[in-house]
Amino acid sequence: YVNNAPTLWADPTGLQVIVIVVGEGIVGDHSAVWIGGFRGEPVLYDPAGSYRYGGEQRPTGDLFYGVEADLQAYVDFHTDGPGGLPVTLYEFPLPPSEQESVANAAEEQGGFQPMFCAIATSGALRASPFFEGLTALTLGGLRRDLPRAPITTYFPARPER
């Protein structure tokens, strides 16, 4: 099934925004947003996150571009890392102009302090008219307030017994 890496096929056209929620609704959970096409390449906005593409230093403003905005690597980082957490992807098809608005808002907001990822994610998403009513201040609020969308959840591998 899609070479055992379904996120590689999440958006072959570059017309989606994917809201990422890591965890199960407790402290230590996280949110981010992946934009399929911005200036011809994907963008990952990981506000207040700990992801590092290839173990490199985090970029200024918590934004990853092009190959560094690797959705599969991001999911694997959270599911396969220490304490492996489930990752839920909420997929929204948006026209390029609205994707650009979300990416521009993420660039303007820049990096955030820990515990403010839901606020940052909501703030970037609100740049699109599709998300204009989103006012989430917490991850629970973000999950509740997101418009209905196709979701996929990836779970950490279970140790063999």
Side-chain angles (χ1 to χ4, degrees), residues 6-135:
T7 58
L8 293 176
W9 301 94
D11 187 21
T13 62
L15 294 176
Q16 286 186 332
V17 166
I18 298 176
V19 178
I20 305 160
V21 178
V22 178
E24 300 175 288
I26 56 174
V27 174
D29 289 355
H30 185 60
S31 67
V33 62
W34 183 87
I35 300 142
F38 176 62
R39 300 180 190 144
E41 63 183 358
V43 176
L44 172 64
Y45 182 41
D46 185 36
S50 57
Y51 174 70
R52 287 166 172 66
Y53 178 78
E56 300 294 321
Q57 184 174 350
R58 283 185 59 81
T60 303
D62 294 342
L63 287 142
F64 297 84
Y65 298 89
V67 296
E68 292 185 355
D70 183 333
L71 185 58
Q72 183 68 51
Y74 188 79
V75 169
D76 291 347
F77 174 80
H78 290 289
T79 58
D80 298 344
L85 295 169
V87 175
T88 303
L89 306 179
Y90 298 80
E91 301 176 35
F92 301 95
L94 290 183
S97 62
E98 291 187 36
Q99 289 185 51
E100 187 168 332
S101 295
V102 172
N104 284 331
E107 285 183 335
E108 288 173 20
Q109 289 183 155
F112 268 70
Q113 295 298 315
M115 305 296 290
F116 290 94
C117 58
I119 293 170
T121 299
S122 295
L125 290 169
R126 273 195 309 275
S128 163
F130 185 76
F131 295 105
E132 66 186 354
L134 192 61
T135 59

